[in-house]
Each structure stands twice: as C-alpha cells, then as structure tokens.
Amino acid sequence: MIVSYNKEHVVGDVLLIELSSEKIVQTDLERHGDVVLLKELSTSEIKGINLFNASNYINLDGIVGNVEITKDFVEQLEKALEQSGAVVDLHVDFSPKFVVGYVTELADHPNADKLHITTIDVGTETPLQIVCGAPNVAQGQKVVVAKIGAVMPSGMVIKESALRGVDSFGMLCSARELEIPNAPQVKGIMVLDDSAVIGEAFKA
C-alpha cells in the first residue's frame, strides 16, 4: 500500500491510496460518502482509494507527499472506511522495507552492457530478482535492499518494474541514495560488513 497526501496541491484535502502497482485498464468508481473506491471494471478488484476530507478522519498535520504506513495510521484509515460504509480488506504489510540482503548470484543483463541481474537473499523463502546498474556489485556481498513499497528519502517509491525487458523486484541502494551523512558522492551500492544479518531491517 502506497499513500500520499498534499493538501496544498490541486486535489486538496484528499488522501490518495494505491493498493496495487498494476495500472487500471478500465476504471469503475464506487462512492461511499467521503470514500471513492477505484476498481478494475472487468474484475471488480479494488486497486485504489480516494478519501475526501481526509483530515476529518486522520491526523495528517505536517504531511506533504508520501505517508508513513504505521499501525496507528492503518487503524485510523480502517475506521474512516467503516464510517463511510466501504468494505475493504487492506492486507497491510508492516515488515521492514529496507533490509540486509546477500547477493547469491550475479549475471549479465542480456540487453544492456551496464546492467546486471542479481539474485538476492533477504531471509525469505523466495529470493528477490533485482536488476542493478552499480559498477561495484558483486556476488557474495551483503547489501542494502529497498523492497517493493519502500519510500526512498527522495520520495521515490520502489515498485515492481522491468528494466530492458527483465523484471526487477526492488533496488540495491547506495549510501547517497539513502542520504546517509557524509556519504561518498560516487556511483556504487553500499556494501555492508560481515556482521550485518541477512533479512534484518537496515539501520543507518
């Protein structure tokens, strides 16, 4: 789930909630009071929610841009949906989005000389395939992984993507991208020492 809010923007006091990274082919709108559900017409799958007059339901003071997804925020959102009569199962993933990963495999990208296809162990049953263009990436490294749904300090949201025809499910991060103080201003991912534990949340 990706949520954004910017009251001073043209949309005003509206909370924009993205439940799926897939674009809606044909939109079906369903209104319940201040809640509008954005559905895929062919499947009735809810892919987004717009909550109007959002500040009446949720404490959004000082928020401009992406909203941090916390248990308290989700509880407020669920209450707002219930009050409006909308039935939505949010299925929120509270697991850390920046984690320690281990590069188990590295292969050349078939369609781009400067890209590599990495297989990353993040402590889950299924490893992640991530396309990376960093010149220093190598097999056997422990690295910082931004998983799907992570929000970078720049405000960029990490989504499933395809780079030159190869699917990528996350990003390997540099210290500069993580805005770590005194980070070297050079190209290349951040390589962690052996003490870092695979799958644990990364803390700068």
Side-chain angles (χ1 to χ4, degrees):
M1 181 168 68
I2 299 169
V3 183
S4 60
Y5 179 78
N6 189 343
K7 190 173 183 178
E8 302 307 317
H9 195 265
V10 66
V11 295
D13 190 15
V14 183
L15 196 68
L16 305 176
I17 304 157
E18 184 179 335
L19 299 179
S20 173
S21 59
E22 298 178 353
K23 292 184 178 180
I24 300 177
V25 177
Q26 192 169 3
T27 307
D28 180 26
L29 301 179
E30 181 179 311
R31 182 137 198 170
H32 300 268
D34 281 335
V35 173
V36 174
L37 305 180
L38 289 74
K39 295 183 172 183
E40 180 60 66
L41 183 61
S42 62
T43 63
S44 294
E45 179 187 358
I46 300 172
K47 293 195 171 181
I49 303 170
N50 291 346
L51 175 61
F52 292 83
N53 302 307
S55 60
N56 291 339
Y57 301 93
I58 299 173
N59 180 11
L60 297 166
D61 292 344
I63 295 178
V64 177
N66 292 311
V67 179
E68 182 181 1
I69 309 301
T70 64
K71 290 184 178 180
D72 180 59
F73 169 79
V74 172
E75 287 175 0
Q76 293 181 69
L77 177 57
E78 288 176 333
K79 186 176 180 180
L81 295 173
E82 183 180 348
Q83 289 175 346
S84 298
V87 179
V88 184
D89 192 348
L90 295 177
H91 288 300
V92 181
D93 177 13
F94 290 108
S95 64
K97 295 298 182 287
F98 293 91
V99 299
V100 176
Y102 180 78
V103 184
T104 60
E105 296 179 26
L106 181 72
D108 292 334
H109 192 295
N111 303 317
D113 293 339
K114 294 183 179 180
L115 296 178
H116 301 282
I117 303 169
T118 67
T119 302
I120 309 294
D121 178 3
V122 290
T124 56
E125 184 176 348
T126 304
L128 300 179
Q129 176 175 285
I130 297 177
V131 178
C132 178
N136 65 327
V137 63
Q139 187 174 351
Q141 292 174 331
K142 288 184 177 179
V143 296
V144 182
V145 179
K147 297 167 66 177
I148 301 299
V151 180
M152 300 297 292
S154 66
M156 180 179 71
V157 178
I158 303 301
K159 300 182 180 182
E160 179 182 338
S161 61
L163 300 176
R164 294 290 185 93
V166 176
D167 291 335
S168 184
F169 302 92
M171 187 175 86
L172 307 187
C173 304
S174 70
R176 180 174 57 179
E177 289 165 333
L178 295 169
E179 295 187 3
I180 294 175
N182 302 313
Q185 300 300 302
V186 295
K187 291 184 178 179
I189 58 171
M190 185 176 182
V191 180
L192 305 174
D193 60 36
D194 289 339
S195 64
V197 179
I198 296 170
E200 286 198 353
F202 171 74
K203 297 179 181 178

